[in-house]
């Protein structure tokens, strides 16, 4: 692996479009401001990006670390329709990115389901969606990236560079992505869906193995509602005119999967189908009650609104106090894990026996690159992502993280990997067995020699984990 190149001289604006020139100037100024702010902070003070939102599920206490300014890092700098690429600020949300690319009949190769996930966050923290069986993860579409490193320099990195390769799953501990050039994929106006039902886990994953090799399929994910009722949803772009469903109103997308064999959505509604009800998690706020739903303003049926409500609840401890008053203890089990396809039926079976959570989201994933990121080594061909987000009751004598530890053991037993956006319970040695410590240390030493940014283990594991 080679190391990063010298920072690129800022590209001179030659665009006919004054607005784009303005955005580039604003972007360059924002990068300088961010770098100056990092360099200006006392070395012993931990830092974080002052992002307006987050999709992490580690709440901890109030974060008192000074925030680095991110204004101006969330714009589209250019879209090259012929080359099918976009050059954007690292803090752009997928909502803005998709809104900018769809008019050109283009989209990011993988669009994570939650609108406020940022491109930089998805590359540094991994991402997955129903195109991942063909396009892998968001970082696989990155052609070039400017990174503000822990040493305060902005470096441009490309595939093959050590920092580039180690960046996925580094969660802002090697540096911050401030500008990215990504590949885009062509779209059509509508997505036609087919929901295929399976009764056993074995049938489900045998079926999935066939679907991911079907060239007629553009999108593939699934939901397991009970151990004997699961669905794979297959999507295909179409230009044929016809009626489309709308799940931003009274109807709820995940419920439609059990009711309908086929469906049609506009491409934008398809990409955001899970955001309106945060998959199914909006039920916790009454949003799925048909009487209450009428009064919940449509613009507020969004994942970032629900997440803010959860953050508020964690801060004031309302749910915890209600559970305690009822003599209960509950554990939040919010995780996404990757399991090799060949082990998936066994994993889901064991999961069903030990963890009382349904529905479970299922999404196949195949990497498109010859190399795999050292911090998320996926080396077994096709994987299946299992996503589960709920609280479960704890019996007397069970530790507060009983079910999360069980999940982590199941992941180890089935040769899988766990993403790090939520709570992590591994001890240090198990953690560094799963995520390649020696590759990480080398890159960390080169780009953050004084440890200005936190260490990955310290950042994501334990009670003191931070954002
Ligand atoms: C309930 C739930 C479901 C989820 N489901 C999915 C899913 O289905 N598909 C999916 O793809 N993802 C999913 N995620 C995970 C999500 O993609 C990751 O948490 C992602 O990192 C969030 O990105 P963000 O932009 O919101 O970043 P933040 O939450 O703000 O930050 C995440 C971390 O990345 C770092 N970071 C942020 N921006 C940058 C940057 N520009 N450069 C370097 N580091 C940066 C931050 O320091 C922080 O440590 C889910 C999360 C939750 C809570």
């Amino acid at each position: 692996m080679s190391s990063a190149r010298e920072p690129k001289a800022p590209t001179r604006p030659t665009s006919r479009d004054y607005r784009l020139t303005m955005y580039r100037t604003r972007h360059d100024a924002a990068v300088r401001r961010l770098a100056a702010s990092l360099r200006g902070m006392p070395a012993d003070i931990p830092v974080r990006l002052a992002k307006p939102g987050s999709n992490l599920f580690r709440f901890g206490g109030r974060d008192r670390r000074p925030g680095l300014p991110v204004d101006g890092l969330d714009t589209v700098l250019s879209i090259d329709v012929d080359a099918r690429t976009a050059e954007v600020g690292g803090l752009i949300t997928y909502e803005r990115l998709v809104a900018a690319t769809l008019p050109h009949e283009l989209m990011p190769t993988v669009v994570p389901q939650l609108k406020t996930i940022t491109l930089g966050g998805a590359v540094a923290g991994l991402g997955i969606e129903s195109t991942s069986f063909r396009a892998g993860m968001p970082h696989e579409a990155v052609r070039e990236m400017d990174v503000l490193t822990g040493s305060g320099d902005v470096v441009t990195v490309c595939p093959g560079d050590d920092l580039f390769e180690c960046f996925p799953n580094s969660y802002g501990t090697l540096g911050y992505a401030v500008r990215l050039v990504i590949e885009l994929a062509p779209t059509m106006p509508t997505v036609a869906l087919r929901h295929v039902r399976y009764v056993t886990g074995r049938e489900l994953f045998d079926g999935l193995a066939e679907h991911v090799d079907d060239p007629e399929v553009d999108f593939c994910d699934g939901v397991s509602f009970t151990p004997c009722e699961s669905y794979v949803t297959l999507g295909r772009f179409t230009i044929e005119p016809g009626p489309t469903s709308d799940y931003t109103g009274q109807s709820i997308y995940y419920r439609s999967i059990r009711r309908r064999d086929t469906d049609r959505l506009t491409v934008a509604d398809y990409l955001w189908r899970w955001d309106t009800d945060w998959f199914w998690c909006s039920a916790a706020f009454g949003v799925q009650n048909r009487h209450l739903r009428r009064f919940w303003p449509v613009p507020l049926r969004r994942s970032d609104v629900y997440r803010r409500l959860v953050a508020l609840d964690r801060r004031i401890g309302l749910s915890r106090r209600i559970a305690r008053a009822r003599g209960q203890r509950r554990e939040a089990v919010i995780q996404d894990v990757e399991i090799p396809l060949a082990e998936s039926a066994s994993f889901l079976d064991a999961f069903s026996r030990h963890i009382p959570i349904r529905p479970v989201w299922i999404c196949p994933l195949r990497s498109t690159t010859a190399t795999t990121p050292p911090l998320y080594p996926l080396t077994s061909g096709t994987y299946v992502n299992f996503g589960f987000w709920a609280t479960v009751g704890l019996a007397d004598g069970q530790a507060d993280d009983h079910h999360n530890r069980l999940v982590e053991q199941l992941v180890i037993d089935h040769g899988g990997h766990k993403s790090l956006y939520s709570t992590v319970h591994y001890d240090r040695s198990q953690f560094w067995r799963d995520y390649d410590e020696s590759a990480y240390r080398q890159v960390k030493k080169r780009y953050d020699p004084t440890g200005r940014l936190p260490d990955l283990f310290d950042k994501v594991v334990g009670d003191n984990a931070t954002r």
Side-chain angles (χ1 to χ4, degrees), residues 380-434:
S380 299
T382 307
Y383 282 77
V384 177
N385 177 284
F386 293 86
F388 32 93
W389 316 290
T391 63
V392 293
L394 285 162
D396 285 346
Q398 287 183 338
D400 290 346
D401 58 359
H402 174 81
H403 297 91
N404 279 285
R405 284 187 183 273
L406 261 173
V407 167
E408 290 183 351
Q409 191 55 51
L410 288 179
V411 171
I412 295 169
D413 293 347
H414 292 85
H417 274 286
K418 195 181 98 143
S419 58
L420 301 176
Y421 72 79
S422 184
T423 57
V424 184
H425 307 260
Y426 292 129
D427 63 27
R428 198 177 285 271
S429 63
Q430 178 60 47
F431 183 85
W432 286 121
R433 264 199 294 282
D434 277 8

Side-chain angles (χ1 to χ4, degrees), residues 113 127-129 132 137 200-206 208-209 220-227 229-232 274 279-280 333-353 355 357-365 376 378 382-390 404 407-408 410-422:
Q113 303 84 349
I128 188 162
E129 229 293 279
S132 289
M137 289 182 164
T200 68
R202 177 60 56 202
E203 286 168 9
L204 167 67
F205 295 106
D206 285 351
L208 204 60
C220 179
D221 69 347
V223 180
S224 179
F225 287 96
T226 72
E229 186 192 0
S230 302
Y231 297 82
V232 171
W274 292 121
F279 289 85
W280 30 83
V333 185
I334 315 284
Q335 302 290 352
D336 273 67
V337 302
E338 262 72 52
I339 304 295
L341 178 57
E343 289 288 321
S344 289
S346 160
F347 173 84
L348 189 57
D349 180 46
F351 179 90
S352 303
R353 276 186 277 116
I355 315 286
I357 295 182
R358 276 302 198 280
V360 171
W361 185 61
I362 286 166
C363 187
L365 160 72
Y376 213 68
L378 298 176
T382 307
Y383 282 77
V384 177
N385 177 284
F386 293 86
F388 32 93
W389 316 290
N404 279 285
V407 167
E408 290 183 351
L410 288 179
V411 171
I412 295 169
D413 293 347
H414 292 85
H417 274 286
K418 195 181 98 143
S419 58
L420 301 176
Y421 72 79
S422 184

Side-chain angles (χ1 to χ4, degrees), residues 115-126:
K115 288 177 174 173
T116 57
I117 290 179
T118 61
L119 179 58
V123 170
L126 303 178

Side-chain angles (χ1 to χ4, degrees), residues 49 51 53-57 90-91 112-114 116-118 120-122 124-128 167 171-172 175-177 278-279 334 336 361 389 421 459 467:
L49 290 176
K51 288 180 73 223
S54 169
N55 289 287
L56 286 185
F57 241 78
L91 276 287
Q113 303 84 349
L114 312 181
T116 57
I117 290 179
T118 61
L126 303 178
I128 188 162
F167 204 77
Y171 274 95
Y176 298 121
W278 213 16
F279 289 85
I334 315 284
D336 273 67
W361 185 61
W389 316 290
Y421 72 79
K459 183 166 186 176
R467 289 169 50 191

Side-chain angles (χ1 to χ4, degrees), residues 185-253:
T187 67
M188 291 182 199
T190 311
V191 182
L193 302 183
R194 191 157 61 89
H195 306 300
V196 185
R197 184 175 174 174
Y198 293 96
V199 175
T200 68
R202 177 60 56 202
E203 286 168 9
L204 167 67
F205 295 106
D206 285 351
L208 204 60
E210 287 178 21
H211 297 311
V212 295
D213 283 331
D214 181 349
E216 300 287 300
V217 173
D218 295 315
F219 302 93
C220 179
D221 69 347
V223 180
S224 179
F225 287 96
T226 72
C228 45
E229 186 192 0
S230 302
Y231 297 82
V232 171
T233 296
L234 304 167
R236 179 152 176 71
F237 280 125
T238 173
I239 50 170
E240 276 172 35
T244 51
S245 299
D246 175 5
Y247 294 106
T248 60
Q250 283 300 101
S251 306
I252 296 171
Y253 174 70

